[in-house]
Amino acid sequence: MASINELIDEITLVLREEKTYDLPTVCTRYGLESGDESEAFQSRRVYIQKRLKGKDQLFLLDLAKRIISDYGSKANALLKLVRRLNSTGLFMISEITRRNIMDELYARNNITGKYELVEFLNRIWNLDSMPSTDYRFKTAAGDVWQHMVNNSDWDDVYLFEKYLELMIATDELFVKFIEQVVHPLVRPQVEQGEYIEAINKHLVHDGFSLILAENISGFPVYKIDKVLNGVKGHVKNLIFAAVGHKPEIVISDSINNDIKIVKYEDNCLIYDRPIPNTGLFWTDIVFWWAEMNDIQNLSRETEIELYKRLFSSLDSLPEKLLFKSYFKYFREQFDKNFPALIPQVYLHYDPYTIRQRSGKVYLPRQRMDFLLLFSNKQRVVLEIDGKQHYSDGDISNPKKYAEMVQADRELKLNGYEVYRFGGYELMDEERGSEIIVEFFEGLFKKHAIRS
């Protein structure tokens, strides 16, 4: 498969044929930074590539298609590259899947649902900003009205596949189209489930599915997301950040699996709200904290107060360094997309202490050091190992170590991701911070968490 650099090179070869003094205007037309003529006069190639570097694949593909359309035969090499990319699986949603989905939609003969055609299309494409292919009209809106509404000499296949090029559009655009087809504003709820089921049976072959993302005024909104193999079930309660005595918990309704803390309730926090498919963010926890404490106006002080409460549940210096570094290096960078790092989360719960059990442990490692929820399914556990995990004082304890790795195996088999830090590697603050930053950068990249 060709790389992003190959796309950049081919786009550059086409645009560098422009006159130097025209390059700033050309770049602006294609949504690139314009710069100035003096920069372009030094080197047209460097000038163009500087503006293309850092752009993602979808942006470059869309740009390449616009250039091919504008430059015709002068962009033949770029056209061949784009065709090769398409045929070798650049798109995560394949042409076969698109074909099958579109055939399903054509057969139902109601793609636009409750909307008029032009009104529906404008939810996905800005027809008034797209040029007309008919000399009688200025924009694509005129084309669609003339050939689909006034004369009906185009059919749905021609409109979506030839005119709007949906079969070769970017994943981003195709996904947007599908999500609008099943949107509650477009589709009555009695039809929504039927359409979702029909689309999902094809999306699943590429590892995607329409999944409930949120509810707006009681109406379900579905988004396309990867089908993840993580943890089964849904998060019901997060009991975390315990300080002091262990909370005493009873089951208040065994049918609904509802719990109630009957003693030491103030020693821990309980987050009992649904976790959306997009995961649990720091902003979610802050809003919850504000409501729990009857704080009307959110402010920086609200965040600081919550941060301090969570920090107080940490015992060791390595734990504190990880928590502190996470916020220091990533809070501002990720802003509203900042995943919540939950400390001291109960995974298992035994109402009795080890002493009450006469030293016998039925549920080892009841608490996780840290938990990240990238979705209900994608749950990431972070553990920081001190000597107490594998020794008694300075004497190694193979039994403790075996219990620890057994617990890890069980977590992983249940779909959790588990990452361990040796407490020793985080004892030096400067080097420890570097290790923590490198880890989270890699973790975010793996899970496609974008700032």
Side-chain angles (χ1 to χ4, degrees):
M1 183 183 295
S3 67
I4 284 180
N5 286 335
E6 286 181 82
L7 264 177
I8 290 174
D9 289 341
E10 290 297 339
I11 291 171
T12 301
L13 287 174
V14 178
L15 296 185
R16 69 184 294 186
E17 297 303 314
E18 291 284 353
K19 292 181 171 60
T20 304
Y21 53 78
D22 286 334
L23 268 181
T25 303
V26 172
C27 286
T28 301
R29 185 171 77 236
Y30 288 121
L32 301 169
E33 297 80 8
S34 60
D36 54 54
E37 289 182 28
S38 61
E39 187 183 355
F41 272 105
Q42 293 176 13
S43 170
R44 281 175 291 178
R45 181 183 62 81
V46 172
Y47 177 89
I48 297 165
Q49 292 199 342
K50 181 179 178 182
R51 279 143 185 82
L52 296 175
K53 293 290 186 183
K55 303 295 185 185
D56 63 31
Q57 202 171 59
L58 292 177
F59 178 91
L60 293 172
L61 268 175
D62 181 62
L63 174 60
K65 290 173 184 176
R66 292 167 63 193
I67 290 172
I68 290 165
S69 175
D70 291 344
Y71 286 84
S73 60
K74 295 180 181 178
N76 278 344
L78 180 59
L79 174 61
K80 290 178 182 178
L81 176 62
V82 170
R83 284 177 175 169
R84 178 159 62 89
L85 287 170
N86 290 352
S87 66
T88 54
L90 175 79
F91 295 140
M92 298 175 71
I93 301 177
S94 71
E95 186 178 355
I96 294 173
T97 297
R98 296 181 187 214
R99 170 80 283 136
N100 290 333
I101 289 173
M102 294 308 296
D103 287 347
E104 290 272 5
L105 296 179
Y106 296 146
R108 284 168 170 73
N109 196 32
N110 188 24
I111 291 175
T112 62
K114 294 182 284 186
Y115 276 73
E116 295 295 331
L117 177 62
V118 173
E119 188 181 16
F120 169 79
L121 295 179
N122 271 323
R123 293 177 64 85
I124 305 149
W125 294 270
N126 185 352
L127 298 182
D128 289 324
S129 69
M130 296 166 58
S132 169
T133 58
D134 188 324
Y135 69 92
R136 293 171 293 177
F137 306 102
K138 292 182 178 180
T139 68
D143 290 355
V144 174
W145 179 86
Q146 174 64 25
H147 296 285
M148 292 293 294
V149 180
N150 191 35
N151 281 343
S152 301
D153 53 339
W154 289 356
D155 59 11
D156 281 351
V157 175
Y158 185 89
L159 172 67
F160 289 109
E161 297 183 23
K162 301 296 183 182
Y163 188 75
L164 295 172
E165 297 184 327
L166 196 54
M167 296 298 289
I168 60 170
T170 62
D171 279 322
E172 183 181 29
L173 183 59
F174 188 80
V175 164
K176 186 177 181 181
F177 167 75
I178 294 299
E179 289 175 348
Q180 288 302 314
V181 167
V182 301
H183 195 281
L185 286 174
V186 174
R187 190 75 46 202
Q189 200 164 354
V190 292
E191 293 181 7
Q192 193 182 38
E194 175 193 341
Y195 273 72
I196 289 169
E197 183 179 356
I199 292 168
N200 275 345
K201 72 181 182 184
H202 301 297
L203 280 176
V204 71
H205 296 299
D206 289 340
F208 293 90
S209 180
L210 278 161
I211 296 172
L212 178 63
E214 59 181 328
N215 284 279
I216 299 178
S217 302
F219 292 90
V221 176
Y222 287 79
K223 300 289 185 182
I224 290 179
D225 203 353
K226 275 190 168 295
V227 178
L228 304 172
N229 297 321
V231 183
K232 294 181 180 179
H234 290 80
V235 177
K236 186 169 178 60
N237 297 295
L238 282 177
I239 305 171
F240 63 103
V243 294
H245 289 286
K246 179 180 181 178
E248 294 187 11
I249 302 173
V250 298
I251 299 176
S252 59
D253 186 336
S254 61
I255 296 174
N256 287 331
N257 195 31
D258 291 332
I259 65 170
K260 183 178 181 180
I261 298 180
V262 294
K263 195 173 182 181
Y264 305 124
E265 183 176 2
D266 293 339
N267 289 8
C268 67
L269 301 175
I270 302 179
Y271 187 87
D272 56 0
R273 298 184 178 181
I275 307 297
N277 189 58
T278 50
L280 184 65
F281 296 100
W282 173 244
T283 51
D284 298 325
I285 299 292
V286 172
F287 277 117
W288 163 79
W289 173 261
E291 288 186 16
M292 290 287 293
N293 292 278
D294 198 28
I295 299 171
Q296 301 300 319
N297 298 314
L298 289 179
S299 65
R300 187 71 171 174
E301 285 67 34
T302 308
E303 286 195 54
I304 294 171
E305 181 184 345
L306 174 58
Y307 174 91
K308 288 180 177 179
R309 170 61 184 85
L310 299 181
F311 193 82
S312 69
S313 69
L314 304 175
D315 296 323
S316 70
L317 289 175
E319 287 177 354
K320 292 177 180 178
L321 178 62
L322 187 142
F323 195 72
K324 182 171 65 175
S325 299
Y326 182 71
F327 277 82
K328 177 180 179 180
Y329 292 101
F330 297 105
R331 173 65 186 94
E332 297 301 326
Q333 178 183 345
F334 282 80
D335 194 24
K336 293 181 180 179
N337 287 339
F338 185 51
L341 181 63
I342 312 298
Q344 303 299 310
V345 182
Y346 276 98
L347 174 66
H348 308 302
Y349 182 82
D350 187 338
Y352 296 100
T353 65
I354 295 177
R355 179 177 297 176
Q356 289 170 320
R357 292 284 191 192
S358 300
K360 190 170 184 178
V361 178
Y362 287 96
L363 295 171
R365 203 179 73 197
Q366 293 186 44
R367 283 194 294 182
M368 301 175 283
D369 289 343
F370 296 99
L371 177 68
L372 288 151
L373 296 170
F374 293 142
S375 73
N376 261 299
K377 291 178 176 291
Q378 296 304 102
R379 306 177 194 175
V380 177
V381 177
L382 308 182
E383 294 286 355
I384 299 179
D385 298 338
K387 288 196 299 184
Q388 73 276 11
H389 288 83
Y390 51 82
S391 66
D392 294 319
D394 292 327
I395 302 173
S396 63
N397 186 327
K399 183 175 180 291
K400 275 190 174 182
Y401 178 77
E403 288 173 349
M404 181 179 72
V405 295
Q406 179 187 5
D408 277 2
R409 287 198 303 270
E410 290 174 358
L411 273 178
K412 292 175 182 177
L413 287 173
N414 285 323
Y416 287 81
E417 288 182 40
V418 183
Y419 298 95
R420 288 191 169 277
F421 293 86
Y424 179 80
E425 64 180 331
L426 303 184
M427 291 303 292
D428 179 83
E429 185 165 344
E430 183 177 351
R431 178 57 188 144
S433 295
E434 292 175 0
I435 291 170
I436 291 164
V437 170
E438 289 173 4
F439 166 75
F440 279 111
E441 287 177 343
L443 185 67
F444 292 151
K445 183 177 181 180
K446 175 182 177 181
H447 286 274
I449 308 298
R450 296 186 175 91
S451 60

